[in-house]
Amino acid sequence: MARQYLVAGNWKMYGHRASIEALVKGINAGLSSLPKVQVLVCPPAPYLAEVAHSAGVNLAVGAQNIAAQEQEGALTGEVLGAMLKEVGCSHVIVGHSERRALFGDSDAIVAQKVRAALIAGLVPILCVGETLAEREGGQTEEVIARQLDAVFALSPTASLHKLVIAYEPVWAIGTGKTATPEQAQAVHQFIRGRIAAVDAKLAGSTRLLYGGSVKPDNAALIFGQPDVDGGLIGGASLKAADFLAICTAAQLQAV
Ligand code: PEP
């Protein structure tokens, strides 16, 4: 069965209204030649509603963060999952390494955010990955297992059928150093195996994205790996031509 690739752009805290409008326009214009790829963009929060409004039917919109809480309340600065859903988001990135490292998103908080996303009807894109020191210390699998297990402990596997997991080695994010296709495949296979240990069916259906300096010139080899179902793209998603070239690499694998 052909896989449906998902390619997601994480625009982080970049852009302004005019540049974001232009980026959406550029991406929209190229989507008609990518029928086999699900394409998602994750703009900064203030632009979510506008982007959702201007995105074509084939362009999904996601947020970069979500409150861990499941109900509205006196939580200044936080954004409830239901609010993201209401303004047109279908997905949300959870546990990006920048949030884990800079904003205190522990494994426990990330697990709560995944649950909050599921309750709101959003697809969580759970980011997992090791630092360079952890890789060099031989701890990659241990770290990823811990990050995954926190989510499995809080959300019953029956509720996780929408979950997407992005393997993002921290040492590859924004650095220009990409994991080799073999390194990416080895960790993706480990992740699938870890899911299979709790639910074999879920392991087969969960989409596993690779993220970390994916560019038009390395996307095809990464997407060609058997356990890679797409990508989470940072820097290269800020240029429509580069992002579309990466989506095209996924489209070519999907046939
Ligand atoms: C990211 O921010 O999730 C990411 C993968 O960034 P980059 O593609 O720039 O490494």
Side-chain angles (χ1 to χ4, degrees):
M1 194 179 73
R3 282 183 282 181
Q4 202 207 14
Y5 282 80
L6 168 62
V7 180
N10 173 13
W11 294 349
K12 309 195 187 200
M13 198 174 73
Y14 289 111
H16 47 79
R17 177 170 276 148
S19 68
I20 283 177
E21 264 177 30
L23 191 48
V24 172
K25 208 171 158 197
I27 293 171
N28 268 334
L31 287 180
S32 58
S33 57
L34 298 165
K36 296 194 171 137
V37 183
Q38 188 182 12
V39 183
L40 168 73
V41 292
C42 301
Y47 305 111
L48 285 169
E50 267 175 69
V51 172
H53 190 70
S54 57
V57 281
N58 295 324
L59 183 61
V61 179
Q64 299 172 15
N65 189 27
I66 181 173
Q69 290 71 19
E70 290 153 20
Q71 283 172 358
E72 62 183 344
L75 292 160
T76 304
E78 289 298 296
V79 181
L80 185 69
M83 297 171 181
L84 297 174
K85 180 94 179 158
E86 192 171 36
V87 300
C89 292
S90 52
H91 293 66
V92 58
I93 298 170
V94 180
H96 190 280
S97 66
E98 287 152 15
R99 296 218 56 88
R100 290 181 189 262
L102 304 173
F103 300 100
D105 281 13
S106 62
D107 291 338
I109 290 173
V110 170
Q112 284 169 15
K113 289 184 174 190
V114 167
R115 191 169 73 171
L118 292 167
I119 286 169
L122 294 163
V123 175
I125 301 180
L126 166 68
C127 299
V128 298
E130 80 289 359
T131 63
L132 187 58
E134 288 162 343
R135 173 162 281 266
E136 288 176 350
Q139 294 169 294
T140 300
E141 293 189 351
E142 182 191 323
V143 169
I144 288 167
R146 192 196 69 220
Q147 293 170 337
L148 292 175
D149 289 352
V151 170
F152 298 145
L154 199 65
S155 296
T157 48
S159 71
L160 292 175
H161 59 278
K162 281 180 158 183
L163 180 70
V164 173
I165 296 174
Y167 168 53
E168 297 211 304
V170 180
W171 48 271
I173 297 178
T175 59
K177 285 187 205 152
T178 320
T180 63
E182 295 75 23
Q183 283 172 323
Q185 168 57 23
V187 177
H188 280 228
Q189 197 175 354
F190 171 77
I191 293 172
R192 218 179 279 290
R194 194 84 190 175
I195 307 171
V198 284
D199 188 323
K201 199 163 161 234
L202 187 66
S205 63
T206 302
R207 274 188 291 180
L208 306 183
L209 314 184
Y210 170 79
S213 298
V214 177
K215 308 283 178 218
D217 61 359
N218 60 22
L221 277 178
I222 292 171
F223 294 160
Q225 299 301 308
D227 284 298
V228 177
D229 306 309
L232 179 55
I233 319 300
S237 70
L238 291 163
K239 286 188 190 150
D242 285 359
F243 187 57
L244 288 169
I246 292 169
C247 295
T248 303
Q251 165 82 15
L252 294 173
Q253 295 292 335
V255 285

